[in-house]
Amino acid sequence: MRSTLTNTVETTSDRAVIYRAATVLHDGLQEATGMLVRDGQVAEVGDAAALATQHGDAQVVDFGDATITPGLIDGHIHAIWGVALARGANLANCTSLDEVKDALRAEAERVGADEWVFGYGFEPHLLGDAPVTNDFIHDAVGAERPVYITLFDAHSALLSGAALAACQVTESATFIDGGGFTERPDADERQLTGAARLTGHVLEWIALDHVQRHVPRIPVAEQADTLYNNLSEMAHTGLVGGYTPDLQNPDTFAVLEAIEADRELPVRIRISPWCTPEMSAEEVDALADMKQHRGRRWEVEGVKLFIDGTIDGGTAWLEEPDAFGAGTRGFWHDPEQYARNLRRLNELGVPTITHAIGDRGVRFVAETIANLPNNGTRHRIDHLELVADEVIEFIGEHDISVCVQPNHCTLFMHADGTDTWSKRLGEPRNKQGWKTRSYLEHGITEALASDWPVAPFDPRTIIADAQLRHPHDRNTPPIHPEQALTASEALTGYTESVPASVGRSGAALRVGEPADFTVWARNPLETPASELADVAIVATAIDGSLVFNDHR
């Protein structure tokens, strides 16, 4: 039986703890058998028997044949906002439109006749060549039922007619970020008028913010319980930390404070609020002051920016238009405004991450970062789904770090090219993405991440997929196998490279660092990637205290 979260081992100033295991991977994945922890920090690493002899008063916790590694950290995860994004029916595993409809009907029945129906993880490729509209929602539960579905990329949603009405959306619109409320392609042919002309497809953040103001919110206490349970599950998969690139949930601080009122967060959280095109200079400066917000295991640090959207939604900034003529510009009507904001944040010493997916967007962000005065502030580019080889070389030359999601490639791309990403780009560009190995070959610090709830958060599956270049649990052809990582490279991407990517130290179990660690039943560096997802996590620890403990 899986244990509950526990703090049964507490390090104090007058009592040290020696953690021993068959292998302790530390400081660049060197091997040892024991680790002395004092005051929540790594004090010594070496032979477990020798440490026990030298420190006879230390408590010994023996994990037997297990392997201790630095604690796993997700470099890009929407841990708090995900409570609202991953709401209702999970549609991510549906393989047909009929399955989606059945899931919506079941959710509608579960919540009752007077409640909104929510779902998440829907992939538009299930519609085949048909346009993205809410017709299947109406077929499933009726047009009179308010339904809100978050699409798999989290950059778009699909609303029923009743939900559009409740959100006061009555006509199509396009906003500065390239998104908006879309119109049915046959609206004129069918002589549709008013809201009937709308597809229900809502694209990008300005439009999403508009509708979400009208969507029923989850009570803070319920959010706190859900977040705590989610983080507990994350701890069970080996995570000790998550870099959260958003402050989109307006209840974020209230939720975190509600948890810390009577319990500890099972996972550390580092939050970076958004800097968006419509922000004034004063609002940009105010982002730097948000670092005062922190708790025992959470903090606000850094800022997140966007240069574009998604390839699947047609809002990525591409060097050439996609197969549908989209992708011709980024989120900022004046890209120089993005550059000015980044320069200001650099001047204030605020580390940033920028969402950049299209090849033109990545190029622009890389050039902008390279032109910043070097004052020691670290800036990172996230996602980089489509990047020219010379831009990767440029990123390496200018010591810019990146954060990528290997399982976005393995889960959302199909070897036969039938996925939305591949259709949008067309041949041969759809063969040029997801270059995880190329970054390391150019000396680039590469953090790995899930982007949950866009993809599952279990780091074992992502570390496995990064090596296999196909889903760990499917015998499908690998996608660009030449871009595969080794086991040690993937593990480093989930540990030391995450804080390094934003200019921090830690996550390597070096002497003097926080004793945040993950205990595996088997050595992840010696386990075949196809078996890695099934390796049990024995325990996780933060500051040397066991947060999750399944050791018997």
Side-chain angles (χ1 to χ4, degrees):
M1 179 182 295
R2 172 175 283 175
S3 71
T4 56
L5 293 174
T6 177
N7 283 313
T8 55
V9 177
E10 294 288 348
T11 57
T12 63
S13 58
D14 59 353
R15 187 77 187 273
V17 179
I18 296 171
Y19 291 101
R20 64 187 301 167
T23 306
V24 178
L25 297 174
H26 69 103
D27 195 4
L29 304 185
Q30 300 179 70
E31 293 189 6
T33 58
M35 176 173 62
L36 176 71
V37 174
R38 193 187 302 275
D39 297 327
Q41 293 186 330
V42 178
E44 292 183 53
V45 182
D47 178 75
L51 289 174
T53 299
Q54 296 165 11
H55 305 279
D57 61 339
Q59 178 182 353
V60 177
V61 178
D62 191 344
F63 289 112
D65 293 334
T67 293
I68 297 174
T69 71
L72 302 181
I73 306 170
D74 194 313
H76 186 123
I77 182 170
H78 300 282
I80 305 165
W81 191 26
V83 171
L85 291 175
R87 186 177 182 184
N90 184 353
L91 309 177
N93 297 322
C94 293
T95 59
S96 70
L97 206 55
D98 285 339
E99 288 186 13
V100 172
K101 292 178 183 179
D102 288 343
L104 291 176
R105 292 187 189 104
E107 180 67 10
E109 189 171 326
R110 185 188 72 82
V111 300
D114 298 327
E115 300 296 326
W116 281 58
V117 178
F118 292 91
Y120 66 97
F122 175 70
E123 293 191 48
H125 78 83
L126 295 178
L127 295 170
D129 293 329
V132 180
T133 73
N134 53 20
D135 290 343
F136 73 88
I137 297 177
H138 298 161
D139 289 344
V141 298
E144 70 285 351
R145 190 72 183 264
V147 179
Y148 186 107
I149 297 174
T150 299
L151 271 61
F152 80 103
D153 62 1
H155 280 243
S156 55
L158 197 55
L159 279 65
S160 66
L164 289 173
C167 295
Q168 301 176 18
V169 178
T170 58
E171 59 185 9
S172 63
T174 301
F175 301 113
I176 189 174
D177 58 7
F181 310 122
T182 63
E183 198 169 83
R184 292 175 179 271
D186 60 353
D188 290 335
E189 179 184 339
R190 294 170 58 190
Q191 298 183 337
L192 300 176
T193 60
R197 296 178 65 89
L198 299 176
T199 63
H201 193 195
V202 179
L203 282 165
E204 298 301 348
W205 307 118
I206 295 176
L208 288 170
D209 285 347
H210 173 87
V211 297
Q212 287 168 358
R213 287 196 294 269
H214 303 277
V215 173
R217 293 246 292 270
I218 305 171
V220 168
E222 183 180 338
Q223 290 186 60
D225 287 341
T226 301
L227 175 59
Y228 182 80
N229 291 335
N230 287 348
L231 295 178
S232 298
E233 283 301 309
M234 291 174 190
H236 292 162
T237 67
L239 288 172
V240 302
Y243 282 28
T244 299
D246 72 78
L247 191 57
Q248 292 307 98
N249 182 344
D251 299 322
T252 291
F253 296 147
V255 169
L256 292 170
E257 289 164 0
I259 293 175
E260 289 196 333
D262 56 13
R263 48 195 162 172
E264 295 287 1
L265 290 173
V267 173
R268 294 188 193 272
I269 295 175
R270 175 190 184 272
I271 301 169
S272 294
W274 287 4
C275 174
T276 54
E278 72 277 7
M279 280 187 167
S280 66
E282 292 74 20
E283 288 172 320
V284 174
D285 282 4
L287 292 175
D289 294 331
M290 296 197 74
K291 61 185 178 183
Q292 63 184 299
H293 295 283
R294 62 181 61 241
R296 292 190 296 276
R297 288 182 177 168
W298 64 272
E299 61 181 328
V300 177
E301 183 193 51
V303 166
K304 161 79 173 291
L305 302 96
F306 290 81
I307 200 63
D308 63 0
T310 69
I311 289 171
D312 304 79
T315 53
W317 192 8
L318 303 173
E319 300 280 11
E320 299 176 7
D322 67 19
F324 298 91
T328 57
R329 65 178 181 85
F331 272 9
W332 304 68
H333 281 176
D334 175 15
E336 179 54 30
Q337 182 61 44
Y338 164 87
R340 285 193 291 270
N341 287 349
L342 196 62
R343 284 195 293 270
R344 178 57 177 163
L345 291 166
N346 184 71
E347 180 183 332
L348 294 171
V350 178
T352 70
I353 61 176
T354 297
H355 167 119
I357 281 182
D359 46 5
R360 181 69 185 94
V362 175
R363 183 189 299 272
F364 181 83
V365 173
E367 291 171 347
T368 303
I369 294 174
N371 285 323
L372 294 173
N374 185 359
N375 62 4
T377 305
R378 192 78 170 164
H379 303 283
R380 192 179 84 182
I381 309 175
D382 282 32
H383 305 310
L384 308 98
E385 293 180 5
L386 189 67
V387 191
D389 288 338
E390 69 269 17
V391 175
I392 294 177
E393 183 177 355
F394 180 87
I395 289 171
E397 289 172 352
H398 291 275
D399 193 27
I400 301 167
S401 55
V402 303
C403 180
V404 298
Q405 296 74 39
N407 63 343
H408 286 200
C409 170
T410 60
L411 294 179
F412 302 135
M413 282 194 71
H414 303 161
D416 60 6
T418 58
D419 58 280
T420 307
W421 194 93
S422 297
K423 288 180 178 179
R424 276 277 184 182
L425 289 178
E427 297 277 2
R429 282 195 294 174
N430 60 6
K431 308 297 184 186
Q432 304 301 313
W434 318 98
K435 298 178 180 178
T436 49
R437 167 145 298 284
S438 295
Y439 299 118
L440 296 183
E441 289 175 346
H442 286 85
I444 297 167
T445 299
E446 179 180 44
L448 302 185
S450 69
D451 200 17
W452 182 84
V454 174
F457 57 70
D458 191 330
R460 294 168 296 181
T461 67
I462 299 166
I463 293 171
D465 284 15
Q467 299 172 65
L468 295 168
R469 297 294 292 191
H470 66 75
H472 67 280
D473 56 353
R474 302 178 208 166
N475 188 21
T476 54
I479 299 170
H480 313 320
E482 73 282 357
Q483 292 293 332
L485 303 183
T486 66
S488 60
E489 288 167 346
L491 182 60
T492 301
Y494 246 94
T495 53
E496 184 176 0
S497 290
V498 178
S501 71
V502 294
R504 306 178 90 183
S505 60
L509 295 183
R510 294 188 180 95
V511 172
E513 290 183 353
D516 293 1
F517 59 85
T518 301
V519 186
W520 305 64
R522 295 167 61 185
N523 189 331
L525 301 187
E526 298 177 356
T527 301
S530 59
E531 300 174 13
L532 193 64
D534 296 321
V535 175
I537 298 299
V538 177
T540 59
I542 294 177
D543 288 332
S545 295
L546 295 183
V547 174
F548 163 63
N549 183 16
D550 205 21
H551 180 57
R552 297 174 180 83

